[in-house]
Each structure stands twice: as structure tokens, then as C-alpha cells.
Amino acid sequence: MKSSYTLVLAFLISSCSTAQIQSIDESKFVSIGGIEQWISIKGDDTSKPILLFIHGGPGSTMSQFENAMYTGWEKDFVLVNWDQRGAGKTYGRNAPSEVNEDYWMENSLTVKEMTADGIEVTEYILKQLKKDKVILVGTSWGSILGTEMALSKPQLFHAYLGHSQFVSFRDNFDYSYAKTYELAKKENNIEAIEKLESLGKPPYNNARSYGQLLRVVKSYEQNNSTEAPDTWFKLALAYDNEEDSKARYDGDDYSFIHFVGHEKLQIKSMAADIDFNQNGLTFEMPVYYIQGEQDILTAAAINKPYFDKIEAPKKAYFLLPDAGHGHNKSVVDKQFEIVNQLEIVQ
């Protein structure tokens, strides 16, 4: 009799525990910063820690992909993606159907406004999931926005993970040009040399020149790094349509021109004054950098000296030999290793 009672009690306790576990899988527009912005939240258990991903680009959204890159992470974390102001579905929701140069000129993007958006997104997520903090993950351009968010409202974040970390707009682009030119000369790559010499050293007064420089930079990074699997960037069915494709394409152009600036259109680079060496040295949460050794755009030569000067409760820097600028398997594996080792008080 006692044995039966014990089994029934154990079953009831187990049933109650299971019943209390709540999953979440929602994507919707939320009023952020006075406009509707697209946020997706996915996790098998809402009691798990929250990961907020700040995408790069600035227009390179991640929400539209099937979750092959972070497959299985939903068991241990709640994953949040956000299409930033001027990108993806957020851009498509707020821009007119036909956009011309006047729209670009009259609707600027600023780091200050997008940082405020990011804080508001964080506060919305915390309220929805009844949590106190999130883990913040920023990549490339997202590392600028992520750093600004972490510095602005540190009480909202368990930790900051910077991947392909920008430090200074000028220093990063100056290095990118010099390093790529050095590699091209070493290989006697006539095509690359002629392109770089025709561009001259940055800064440039137009977005097209920055785009041309980045194409050369990317070609050298790809030559020496392991790329991500194509399956990571397969569109989810809900996003595989003409309307969303147009929003992503147009938003990418719109965001990039505001990122680097374009003098003829009187658009100033929103990142030109970024230099975390001057105003980003003290963090109130743990800071972790994941850096590709083959990354030229946000190179270790620029962000490691900066990282060494950072003051934080805990910090660590990881240099990955086979990685360039962007994600690959070693980057994602290292991200998983870090977030799993974080000491998080729920």
C-alpha cells in the first residue's frame, strides 16, 4: 500500500512539473520607438535564460531563416531575433511601397535612436517572459549596437557576447584597406590592386566605394576561412515570398547607406563617430569576445588591444583560427560553450 501511494505521489509531482513548463513560438509586430518592429521569440521552456541576438549588416536580419544555425538551442534557451529599424520586416512595415532618394534623405537612422529601440525591445521581452535580464549577443554592426545597449542599461543584461566586434569606424576601415592591399600586393593580385588603388584609402564620401572595398575584403576572408553551411541560410516558408524579399533587399540598401554615409544625398554616416576606445571601456556585466583570426573588417589587430583595456566583472577573448567575419560552426560552437557556462540567477 505504501509503495502504491509513493508511486502515485511521484506521478502527481512529475505531472505538475511537466504542466508548468511553457513553450513559446511567436513572431509579431510590436510598437517600439513609435513604429511597429518585428520580434520573434522561440523556446521550449520560457523559464530558461533569454538570448537576444542583435543582427549585423545593419540590414542583415536573421529572423527569416529556419533555425539551422542554432538548432537544438531552444531546449536550453529562449531565442529572440529582432528586425531592427530600417531592416527586414520592420522596414517593409514602415516604408512606402515605392522609395526614392528623398525618402532616404528625410528618414535618417541614428545609433542613438536604434540603441533606444534595442533597450525597449529588451524591456518588452523581459516583461513578456517575466524575467529580470537577458544575455546580449551582437555580431558585426550588431556589436556596435550591442555595446551601446550594454553601456546604456547594464542592469538589463546578464552578459554581453561580442562577435566580430567593431571598435572604431575609422580604425576598422583603415585597417581593412591596408591589410587587404598588403595581401593583394603579396599575391600580385592585379585586379584587387587596381581596384584598391582606384578607390584610394578611406574614408569615402559615398556608399558605393565602401561597398566595393568590402567586396575585396570579403574575398580575402573567404579564401582563408571555413564558411558556414548553406543550410544555415535557408528561408523559412513564412518569409519566402516577394513582399518579404523586397523588404530585406531594400532595407539592406537603406541601412547600409546610413551606416557608411553618402555625401551627395547629404546622408552622414551614423557610425562615423563610433570609437569605443574613447567611451566604451567600463562594463558592469561579464564581456566575452569571439573573434575570427581571418576577419579583416573587424580584425583582432583592432579589437584585441581595445578588449585588453576593458574593465568588467569578468572577461574573456577567444580567437578562432578558421573563422573570418561572420558565423561558421566554430563561432556558433564557442557561443554555445560560453552561454552554457554563464552563472545566471533566475
Side-chain angles (χ1 to χ4, degrees):
M1 185 69 179
K2 184 177 180 180
S3 177
S4 298
Y5 174 79
T6 302
L7 287 172
V8 170
L9 182 62
F11 173 77
L12 289 173
I13 292 173
S14 175
S15 298
C16 289
S17 298
T18 303
Q20 290 173 357
I21 295 176
Q22 293 184 336
S23 64
I24 187 168
D25 187 358
E26 65 178 40
S27 298
K28 62 183 180 180
F29 287 106
V30 178
S31 180
I32 299 291
I35 65 172
E36 290 191 301
Q37 303 199 34
W38 187 252
I39 299 173
S40 61
I41 309 174
K42 188 171 185 178
D44 292 346
D45 183 353
T46 55
S47 71
K48 299 294 186 179
I50 304 167
L51 289 176
L52 172 57
F53 294 98
I54 311 297
H55 67 71
S60 302
T61 55
M62 298 291 289
S63 59
Q64 70 271 17
F65 299 123
E66 293 184 353
N67 196 36
M69 187 182 299
Y70 294 104
T71 186
W73 285 41
E74 302 96 331
K75 294 183 295 183
D76 301 301
F77 301 96
V78 178
L79 310 180
V80 180
N81 279 289
W82 158 47
D83 287 14
Q84 299 159 20
R85 181 182 296 264
K89 289 182 78 72
T90 298
Y91 175 85
R93 185 74 158 191
N94 295 283
S97 56
E98 295 299 326
V99 171
N100 55 28
E101 292 180 351
D102 288 339
Y103 177 83
W104 287 0
M105 295 167 65
E106 294 166 5
N107 293 271
S108 61
L109 289 176
T110 69
V111 173
K112 182 178 180 180
E113 186 173 39
M114 295 177 75
T115 300
D117 287 348
I119 294 300
E120 194 172 341
V121 167
T122 306
E123 291 172 339
Y124 166 79
I125 297 161
L126 293 174
K127 183 178 180 181
Q128 289 294 105
L129 297 175
K130 298 179 175 59
K131 295 290 185 66
D132 295 324
K133 297 183 180 184
V134 309
I135 302 165
L136 186 61
V137 184
T139 291
S140 190
W141 148 259
S143 72
I144 293 177
L145 194 52
T147 298
E148 293 283 357
M149 290 167 61
L151 294 170
S152 173
K153 283 289 185 74
Q155 64 270 28
L156 299 180
F157 307 109
H158 290 295
Y160 169 62
L161 274 69
H163 165 229
S164 296
Q165 177 72 43
F166 264 97
V167 175
S168 159
F169 184 85
R170 179 177 288 273
D171 291 349
N172 279 117
F173 275 102
D174 284 351
Y175 178 88
S176 297
Y177 180 92
K179 182 63 177 179
T180 310
Y181 188 76
E182 174 192 319
L183 293 171
K185 292 286 282 187
K186 185 177 181 180
E187 296 179 1
N188 196 30
N189 184 335
I190 302 301
E191 182 179 357
I193 292 170
E194 289 180 348
K195 172 55 69 177
L196 292 169
E197 289 182 346
S198 70
L199 289 172
K201 296 179 181 179
Y204 307 123
N205 62 7
N206 68 91
R208 180 179 176 81
S209 293
Y210 279 105
Q212 290 175 326
L213 171 60
L214 289 178
R215 279 193 285 275
V216 181
V217 169
K218 187 175 181 179
S219 70
Y220 272 97
E221 289 179 341
Q222 289 177 331
N223 288 341
N224 300 300
S225 61
T226 302
E227 293 190 26
D230 292 339
T231 55
W232 282 11
F233 304 105
K234 181 180 179 182
L235 289 176
L237 185 61
Y239 295 82
D240 192 5
N241 59 76
E242 187 175 344
E243 180 182 356
D244 282 329
S245 294
K246 185 177 188 303
R248 289 192 298 272
Y249 181 85
D250 291 347
D252 193 45
D253 284 348
Y254 169 77
S255 297
F256 183 73
I257 202 169
H258 282 89
F259 176 52
V260 298
H262 197 84
E263 188 176 283
K264 185 178 179 181
L265 297 179
Q266 300 176 22
I267 296 174
K268 182 183 177 182
S269 163
M270 63 174 169
D273 296 332
I274 292 294
D275 186 353
F276 292 129
N277 286 298
Q278 303 301 318
N279 57 8
L281 296 175
T282 304
F283 291 79
E284 296 180 28
M285 77 285 293
V287 174
Y288 303 89
Y289 279 5
I290 299 172
Q291 175 62 36
E293 191 171 0
Q294 310 307 322
D295 186 343
I296 297 173
L297 177 58
T298 55
I302 302 297
N303 61 36
K304 182 58 165 65
Y306 162 68
F307 176 85
D308 290 340
K309 293 185 290 185
I310 286 175
E311 295 182 5
K314 184 177 182 180
K315 65 178 188 176
Y317 187 100
F318 301 95
L319 187 64
L320 307 181
D322 73 329
H325 185 82
H327 295 86
N328 70 0
K329 188 176 184 301
S330 63
V331 169
V332 174
D333 287 348
K334 182 57 68 174
Q335 287 178 329
F336 191 70
E337 176 186 320
I338 293 169
V339 295
N340 267 293
Q341 293 177 356
L342 289 176
E343 296 180 3
I344 295 176
V345 179
Q346 296 283 21

